[in-house]
């Protein structure tokens, strides 16, 4: 089976045609368990997410905050392996028909085997990979394998990226560009929102690819704010928190995820 980059492209294009941003949800595989995670991501998509990112839990997730690190730790202590990540992609995509991406640091892919990882992800119906710590300069081997298997290669840009660097990153990527910022962590939300808006504008000047923003968005109002200037709104920690708060009550956690997905989906449709 070829990968699903075309499905990803069409879902993003459909959201644009509806004059709204796409809603992208994130959860690590194996959290709270492998089966529980599959059910959780399915609920997120059924509740209103357009796309889901399956995180590959890593022992040193340098770019993730404490909430996602906690979930990664639970998954790793539960013994999650790459085969479980691939199974999660397969079952979530099969259950929903939605684009499912894998978000992973480079080391696990390198250790597993680049060609093997791309082939297995595509065979599972995956749409592509987000690789936050893979420098464009060192990405050729991965990009060739991804292209061969019909997978998107999504790179991450940040407010610190200079325009020349942005052009280099976006020229190498496919699917969409992940614009990372830190709402609510550095300064006030308003000022960080402006910084993200500036980053989106600078990124769009270099590419036709959609630009999706991961900003620590957790409320419908924040989703609407970001949706006003981005092609997609990426939400991770807020979903993870709903499951963490539910603890051992998976039924309550799943209901919380579906509710949050619905509220955020309403938010991206009410862009200001």
């Amino acid at each position: 089976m070829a990968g699903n980059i075309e499905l990803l492209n069409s879902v993003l294009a459909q959201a644009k045609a509806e004059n709204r941003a796409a809603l992208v949800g994130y959860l690590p595989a194996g959290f709270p368990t492998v089966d529980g995670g599959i059910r959780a991501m399915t609920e997120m998509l059924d509740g209103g997410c357009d796309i889901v990112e399956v995180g590959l839990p890593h022992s040193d997730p340098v770019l993730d905050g404490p909430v996602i690190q906690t979930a990664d730790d639970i998954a790793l202590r539960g013994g999650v392996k790459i085969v479980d990540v691939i199974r999660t992609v397969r079952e979530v995509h099969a259950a929903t028909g939605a684009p499912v991406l894998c978000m992973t640091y480079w080391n696990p892919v390198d250790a597993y085997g680049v060609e093997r990882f791309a082939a297995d992800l595509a065979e599972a119906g995956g749409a592509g990979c987000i690789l936050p710590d893979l420098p464009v300069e060192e990405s050729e081997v991965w990009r060739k394998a991804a292209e061969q298997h019909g997978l998107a290669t999504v790179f991450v840009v940040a407010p610190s990226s200079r325009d020349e660097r942005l052009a280099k990153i976006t020229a190498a990527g496919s699917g969409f560009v992940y614009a990372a910022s830190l709402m609510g962590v550095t300064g006030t939300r308003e000022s960080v929102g402006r910084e993200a808006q500036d980053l989106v504008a600078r990124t769009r000047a270099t590419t036709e690819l959609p630009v999706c923003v991961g900003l620590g968005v957790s409320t419908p109002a924040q989703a609407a704010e970001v949706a006003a200037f981005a092609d997609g709104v990426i939400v991770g920690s807020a979903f993870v928190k709903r499951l963490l708060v539910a603890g051992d009550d998976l039924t309550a956690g799943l209901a919380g995820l579906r509710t949050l997905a619905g509220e955020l989906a309403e938010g991206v449709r009410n862009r200001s």
Side-chain angles (χ1 to χ4, degrees):
M1 182 193 291
N4 271 317
I5 186 171
E6 291 87 357
L7 175 64
L8 175 65
N9 292 342
S10 72
V11 166
L12 288 164
Q14 180 61 33
K16 186 176 183 178
E18 294 172 9
N19 193 34
R20 67 175 179 86
L23 177 61
V24 185
Y26 165 93
L27 269 189
F31 168 71
T33 61
V34 176
D35 288 342
I38 290 166
R39 288 177 65 190
M41 292 178 216
T42 302
E43 287 291 333
M44 286 159 61
L45 287 160
D46 288 346
C49 287
D50 299 289
I51 297 162
V52 80
E53 299 172 8
V54 177
L56 195 158
H58 193 264
S59 54
D60 184 26
V62 291
L63 297 174
D64 292 320
V67 171
I68 290 172
Q69 285 185 29
T70 300
D72 276 2
D73 187 51
I74 290 168
L76 290 166
R77 281 191 280 119
V80 72
K81 300 280 191 296
I82 288 183
V83 65
D84 300 310
V85 177
I86 300 293
R87 181 189 147 210
T88 299
V89 171
R90 175 182 288 108
E91 296 198 13
V92 173
H93 173 62
T96 63
V100 182
L101 296 121
C102 179
M103 185 164 189
T104 177
Y105 294 94
W106 179 244
N107 275 354
V109 177
D110 200 31
Y112 189 80
V114 175
E115 170 62 31
R116 179 184 171 208
F117 189 87
D120 287 359
L121 182 59
E123 190 276 327
C129 232
I130 302 164
L131 297 153
D133 65 339
L134 178 64
V136 170
E137 293 80 4
E138 296 167 29
S139 67
E140 190 178 355
V141 170
W142 164 259
R143 284 189 289 124
K144 279 187 172 169
E147 193 174 343
Q148 184 185 340
H149 291 285
L151 298 170
T153 296
V154 178
F155 286 110
V156 178
V157 298
S160 57
S161 305
R162 294 172 182 268
D163 291 354
E164 187 183 331
R165 181 82 186 147
L166 286 176
K168 193 170 191 178
I169 292 169
T170 59
S174 55
F176 63 90
V177 182
Y178 189 125
S181 194
L182 297 167
M183 183 182 284
V185 176
T186 51
T188 65
R189 185 169 61 78
E190 287 77 15
S191 68
V192 179
R194 281 198 297 275
E195 195 171 35
Q197 191 167 356
D198 175 62
L199 174 59
V200 170
R202 291 194 301 119
T203 304
R204 279 191 177 142
T206 72
T207 183
E208 295 293 312
L209 289 173
V211 183
C212 301
V213 174
L215 261 176
V217 172
S218 59
T219 67
Q222 289 170 343
E225 183 186 339
V226 175
F229 60 80
D231 299 298
V233 178
I234 301 168
V235 180
S237 296
F239 283 117
V240 172
K241 254 184 209 165
R242 290 283 169 116
L243 280 183
L244 286 173
V245 167
D248 293 333
D249 190 348
L250 182 60
T251 303
L254 295 175
L257 290 184
R258 180 182 271 270
T259 299
L260 178 60
E263 291 168 353
L264 292 166
E266 190 82 12
V268 300
R269 285 164 173 80
N270 293 335
R271 56 209 247 171
S272 43

